[in-house]
């Protein structure tokens, strides 16, 4: 679905405009850099981490090792994700009399059945239902959310699920459609945590899509969707924003910017905060060759300022790129730097990768499914993502950090939950760096555990004892992401 994202989006906007474990502490080393964790400097809470299978549920459903792949994403030995994003398909209802969400479909067909060859809306629907049920019932994923790429075609100005807009006279019917989707999924034990009325509302894509201005989106949520959910006592949060660009430095690209959309909606419809909202955005960037100005399509990673001011959760609900497939630590580090920036610069509460598993020759997915429908491979971005997802538990709060001296090599973020803490350190340099980790306002308790990902390791464990000052001295290997976990008294 996203294979040609950058080309189409760029044109649209242009038109608009070692074993490397760290080793034991002997107590005699002098750290080059000291890392201080400031326990009482509390930042944003963390809702969790996840993946989307929207648009690719059929490929995972058809894979003969699909349950192993699900384990890699949601299981205790995998990423331990707690968020799954699906799609509110426009083909559920073909006309105003159709009220079926196809939840009685048979999901247990033999994987050698010809049904699993080719593409079809039927297989996509069944695939989403199959993997959502497994995520909920086996892995206890607590945040299922679904985005609509388009309303059903009969509600659209062009009568198609691609491009066009929602007819104004269908606003209430579309709000009812989303409410009925919630109730249908809830009826089989899949209560959606949140629903989004529009994926990428500022981009009329050639696949399932629908164009919205922020003014129309604000009106729809404030006057139709929000009141409908309240009236029908639907507890699901309403996600808004979800544009391809997180932010933009050029006014020409603002229409595809989540910062612009969320700010405009909150400015013009302040009463929208009466509803249960999540502000969200996507983190795509575009090649400079598609831009008339060098920086016009850059997407600075900044807070969604009015959402933050109104105490709304802020989620990254989609991100990846379509560069040629790279499974090395260089790509893993690139994305670790990106995760860090969204968590520490944009203060996001949740982070969702675009595609968990799909067959691809680019970097859209964390797990690459083989065309033979049997094999699959893990990427280093999968592994560095795990340095966040496995150890920062939902309900944690980010806390402040301070370095003894400035360095471009190390990036540090820290999180706490009750008496436990987690520190994620990225070393972008080609040499190891001896560091000392110490906490303020609290006393450490017991050993510090580390989990190393570099070119040769994935979450490799090591443990350390504190020195007499309650400091842990550890060596951070070159070109790695290493996560530390510990407890306080």
């Amino acid at each position: 679905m996203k294979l040609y994202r950058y080309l189409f989006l760029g044109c649209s906007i242009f038109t608009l405009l070692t074993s490397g474990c760290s080793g034991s502490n002997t107590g005699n080393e002098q750290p080059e850099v000291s890392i201080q964790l400031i326990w009482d400097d509390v930042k944003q809470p963390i809702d969790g981490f996840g993946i989307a299978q929207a648009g690719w549920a059929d490929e995972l459903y058809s894979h003969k090792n699909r349950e192993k792949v699900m384990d890699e994403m949601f299981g205790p030995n995998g990423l331990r994700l707690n968020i799954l994003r699906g799609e509110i398909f426009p083909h559920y209802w073909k006309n105003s009399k159709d009220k079926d969400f196809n939840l009685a479909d048979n999901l247990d067909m033999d994987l050698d059945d010809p049904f699993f060859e080719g593409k079809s809306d039927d297989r996509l629907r069944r695939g989403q239902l199959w993997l959502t049920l497994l995520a909920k019932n086996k892995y206890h994923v607590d945040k299922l959310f679904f985005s609509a790429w388009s309303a059903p075609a009969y509600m659209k100005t062009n009568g198609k699920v691609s491009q066009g807009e929602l007819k104004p006279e269908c606003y209430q019917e579309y709000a009812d459609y989303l409410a009925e989707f919630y109730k249908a999924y809830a009826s089989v034990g899949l209560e959606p945590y949140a629903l989004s009325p529009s994926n990428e509302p500022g981009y009329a894509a050639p696949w399932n899509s629908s164009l919205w201005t922020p003014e129309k989106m604000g009106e729809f949520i404030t006057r139709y969707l929000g009141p409908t959910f309240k009236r029908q006592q639907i507890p699901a949060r309403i996600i808004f924003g979800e544009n391809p660009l997180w932010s933009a430095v050029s006014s020409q690209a603002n229409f595809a910017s989540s910062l612009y959309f969320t700010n405009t909606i909150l400015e013009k419809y302040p009463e929208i905060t009466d509803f249960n909202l999540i502000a969200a955005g996507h983190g795509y960037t575009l090649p400079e060759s598609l831009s008339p100005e060098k920086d016009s399509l850059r997407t600075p990673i900044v807070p969604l300022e009015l959402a933050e001011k109104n105490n709304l959760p802020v989620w990254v609900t989609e991100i990846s790129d379509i560069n040629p497939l790279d499974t090395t630590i260089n790509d893993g580090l690139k994305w670790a730097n990106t995760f860090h920036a969204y968590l520490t610069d944009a203060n996001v509460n949740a982070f969702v990768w675009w595609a968990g598993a799909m067959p691809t020759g680019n970097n859209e997915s964390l797990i690459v499914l083989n065309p033979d429908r049997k094999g699959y491979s893990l990427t280093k971005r999968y592994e560095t993502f795990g340095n966040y997802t496995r150890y920062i538990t939902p309900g944690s709060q980010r806390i402040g950090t301070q370095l003894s001296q400035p360095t471009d090599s190390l990036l540090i973020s820290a999180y706490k939950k009750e008496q436990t803490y987690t520190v994620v350190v990225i070393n972008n340099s080609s040499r190891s760096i001896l560091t000392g980790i110490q906490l303020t306002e609290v006393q450490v308790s017991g050993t510090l555990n580390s989990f190393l990902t570099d070119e040769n390791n994935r979450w490799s464990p090591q443990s350390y004892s504190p020195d007499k000052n309650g400091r842990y001295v550890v060596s951070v290997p070159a070109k790695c992401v290493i996560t530390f976990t510990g407890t306080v008294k």
Side-chain angles (χ1 to χ4, degrees), residues 1-3 51-62 84-92 118-121 123-125 127-129 131-132 146-147 149 199 207-208 318 354-359 364 369:
M1 179 182 293
K2 301 283 170 135
L3 184 58
I51 53 93
Q53 280 298 138
W56 297 103
D58 54 344
E59 297 289 352
L60 181 53
Y61 181 46
S62 303
L84 174 62
R85 181 184 187 224
E87 182 174 353
I88 307 168
F89 299 118
H91 53 258
Y92 281 125
K119 301 284 287 185
S120 71
D121 288 343
R123 187 155 62 97
L124 190 58
R125 287 193 308 268
Q128 175 164 289
L129 184 58
L131 70 94
T132 307
F146 301 85
S147 301
W149 269 244
N199 171 75
W207 46 79
N208 290 353
E318 194 174 308
W354 159 235
M358 60 182 277
E364 289 185 76
L369 303 179

Side-chain angles (χ1 to χ4, degrees), residues 74-290:
F74 298 101
N77 295 321
L79 296 179
R80 305 176 186 171
L81 302 173
N82 73 307
I83 302 175
L84 174 62
R85 181 184 187 224
E87 182 174 353
I88 307 168
F89 299 118
H91 53 258
Y92 281 125
W93 291 5
K94 303 291 187 183
N95 55 64
S96 60
K97 296 181 180 180
D98 189 356
K99 304 298 181 186
D100 191 4
F101 286 95
N102 306 99
L103 298 181
D105 287 345
N106 175 25
L107 305 180
D108 298 321
M109 291 175 290
D110 190 291
L111 282 165
D112 290 323
D113 192 293
F115 171 81
F116 289 100
E117 302 293 338
K119 301 284 287 185
S120 71
D121 288 343
D122 186 13
R123 187 155 62 97
L124 190 58
R125 287 193 308 268
R126 295 191 201 209
Q128 175 164 289
L129 184 58
W130 174 85
L131 70 94
T132 307
L133 284 165
L134 191 64
K136 178 71 172 182
N137 296 332
K138 180 177 180 180
Y139 303 104
H140 310 293
V141 172
D142 66 341
K143 293 180 178 66
L144 306 172
F145 86 94
F146 301 85
S147 301
W149 269 244
S150 171
Y154 74 89
M155 299 184 193
K156 303 277 292 296
T157 55
N158 62 352
K160 299 177 181 179
V161 296
S162 176
Q163 304 179 341
E165 300 180 47
L166 182 66
K167 297 176 184 175
E169 63 268 28
C170 290
Y171 275 24
Q172 185 57 56
E173 188 172 5
Y174 184 48
D176 292 338
Y177 176 75
L178 298 176
E180 290 302 315
F181 175 88
Y182 174 90
K183 289 185 282 188
Y185 263 61
S187 72
V188 292
L190 299 175
E191 297 87 350
Y193 178 79
L195 298 178
S196 169
S198 181
N199 171 75
E200 300 186 347
Y203 175 38
W207 46 79
N208 290 353
S209 64
S210 187
L211 194 64
W212 297 75
T213 65
E215 291 80 8
K216 289 180 179 179
M217 178 61 69
E219 178 189 7
F220 173 70
I221 294 173
T222 303
R223 297 178 183 171
Y224 296 91
L225 186 60
T228 297
F229 277 18
K230 272 196 170 181
R231 187 168 56 252
Q232 299 189 28
Q233 298 184 318
I234 291 174
R237 288 183 175 270
I238 298 170
I239 295 180
F240 72 111
E242 286 215 284
N243 253 328
L245 306 181
W246 184 260
S247 63
V249 297
S250 167
S251 60
Q252 292 177 309
N254 266 341
F255 201 65
S257 157
S258 294
L259 177 64
Y260 171 75
F261 254 67
T262 54
N263 280 355
T264 302
I265 290 171
L266 289 166
E267 285 170 355
K268 297 193 174 184
Y269 291 90
E271 67 272 28
I272 200 172
T273 57
D274 290 342
F275 305 112
N276 200 10
L277 304 176
I278 294 174
H282 297 172
Y284 292 101
T285 57
L286 297 169
E288 289 183 2
S289 61
L290 295 178

